Amino acid sequence: MDLDAVTKQSVLHAKPDGLILQYGTAGFRTKAEHLDHVMFRMGLLAVLRSKQTKSTIGVMVTASHNPEEDNGVKLVDPLGEMLAASWEEHATCLANAEEQHLPSVLVDISEKAAVDLHQDAFVVIGRDTRPSSEKLAQSVIDGVTVLGGQFHDYGLLTTPQLHYMVFCRNSKGQYGKATVEGYYQKLSSAFVELTKQAFCTGDDHRTLKVDCANGIGALKLAEMKHYFSQGLSVQLFNDGTKGKLNHLCGADFVKSHQKPPQGIEMKANESCCSFDGDADRIVYYYHDADGQFHLIDGDKIATLISSFLKELLVEIGDGLSLGVVQTAYANGSSTRYLEEVMKVPVYCTKTGVKHLHHKAQEFDIGVYFEANGHGTVLFSKAAETKIKQLAKESEDEKRKAAKMLENIIDLFNQTIGDAISDMLVIEAILALKGLTVQQWDALYTDLPNRQLKVKVADRQVISTTDAERQVVTPPGLQDAINDLVKKYRLSRAFVRPSGTEDIVRVYAEADSQENTDSLAYEVSLAVFQLAGGIGERPQRGF
Ligand code: 16G
Ligand code: MG
């Protein structure tokens, strides 16, 4: 390591004094103007991680659904997964080191992680459409090059596309070709193959309106839609030509406000969906004939997908295990439906993709979705091998099911939730099952639910257990929540410190919206009183 060169370059990417940031669930995320030094240093760190793993590492510059003024950065590990937890700590140390300590922190990380500094390093970089992203990506490149790393800058990519590139490169092309074209071809041909059966039986051509949050999803979907246009035509809205990124649109807006985005024309019963700013989340929705808005969130997406997979698994009859992974935010009705009607085992993990992802890896086929629309399906190597074998060998009906599963394996981005890939899977299943979006929605009825935020002096005073469903500290808070929940029917509530904002999140559900809102308010008040609330007290009515 040429530490003198690092010191010299680092001056050009100086850290503002006293600024402390943390590598959280979504990497580093804050106002773009505070991130130049973080980007440079994540370039350095990616080189070390690449040397240590002897693999290509990814760096994605994005702040997902955050406002346009924000930005962020995440590292992508060799199999296209989120960065390992021990390296999140290294990332935090490196980002927060004062200028004069930077060389010693680099040496320290290299020693702790037993990095072989003689190894070559290769880093791939992607970025979203934020005005600040291009310059910040250049700072990453500066960090990579000063440590002698090689790199490929993919320029504009969705987050899942960058994860895909990393996995393709490290699997030596077995997972797919590490180009945007390769991504389009892999997914589109799996979609076309999977839906052949539905469309040759004369099903109408499918159309879908997509709100792209004025983000990167619009550019990529516009390029990709020609590849699958025989089966599905997508009409893009909020494509970034006019509106601001994530402003009054996008999956996060639709899910949290439970209303349609601006900038999309919805007719009664038309199927619509929204991506978030970096296209790793998707939610569906429609207006019924009475003008009422219906949201189809990640829970219902998981239900549609897992019921389809279960049918295929019964058909091939090979005893492959199927599990669904959710978080505490999953609507109680979805969990009940999955367990009691579909008889699928359901597991709950902490919020954050990496937790769901790891749990899903325990099954032959693991379906994971957060209610916010982030999710995918993972197939174990053994399941994939078995399915491919059956697709070649077995008798007719079995073979048909195995072939469909084979296409589904290719269609799901196995590295991370991917709005484009999920959209194609959903459209394929709806076409094959002949389901309308209303019929899908009618699988079960969501319990009314409400999310609120409470400001406290230090949100870390709240610690949780049982996948964030129970509070451990401060003392008394869980008892208070239990007493409040008892007042209502079909009720549930939990609180947790946010990993991305300086607030405490409150979730409540109950038998009616009115009761839900009361419960959410009362729990917020308990948090305010017992966990050091600051500013205005929570108010009844929102
Ligand atoms: C991040 C997570 C997302 C989670 C959200 C929770 C990743 C890639 N993203 O966006 O999964 O739902 O944080 O935010 O892990 P919160 O902690 O502020 O509620
Ligand atoms: Mg996102």
Side-chain angles (χ1 to χ4, degrees), residues 214 218 238-243:
N214 290 316
N238 297 323
D239 64 357
T241 46
K242 293 190 295 282

Side-chain angles (χ1 to χ4, degrees), residues 64-65 276 278-281:
S64 183
H65 55 277
D276 74 337
D278 61 342
D280 63 357
R281 289 191 197 176

Side-chain angles (χ1 to χ4, degrees), residues 251-325:
D252 195 62
F253 173 86
V254 173
K255 169 72 183 161
S256 48
H257 293 82
Q258 309 206 7
K259 64 180 189 197
Q262 286 196 358
I264 192 164
E265 303 143 24
M266 289 170 69
K267 297 205 192 89
N269 294 323
E270 248 177 9
S271 182
C272 304
C273 68
S274 285
F275 291 5
D276 74 337
D278 61 342
D280 63 357
R281 289 191 197 176
I282 184 168
V283 294
Y284 270 68
Y285 46 90
Y286 66 96
H287 265 149
D288 65 22
D290 301 328
Q292 205 196 330
F293 176 74
H294 295 255
L295 174 67
I296 303 180
D297 65 5
D299 301 335
K300 226 165 233 176
I301 295 175
T303 308
L304 177 78
I305 292 170
S306 41
S307 57
F308 188 67
L309 289 173
K310 189 161 180 199
E311 279 174 27
L312 294 179
L313 289 178
V314 168
E315 199 68 60
I316 66 169
D318 229 70
L320 292 175
S321 67
L322 174 73
V324 178
V325 186

Side-chain angles (χ1 to χ4, degrees), residues 25-26 29 65 74 82 280-281 329 351-354 370 372 374 496 498-501 505:
T25 37
R29 215 177 264 190
H65 55 277
K74 279 192 272 205
M82 313 294 267
D280 63 357
R281 289 191 197 176
Y329 289 106
T351 301
V353 173
K354 65 181 175 205
E370 290 190 300
N372 63 27
H374 185 117
R496 54 176 280 277
S498 160
T500 62
E501 283 180 69
R505 293 199 195 283

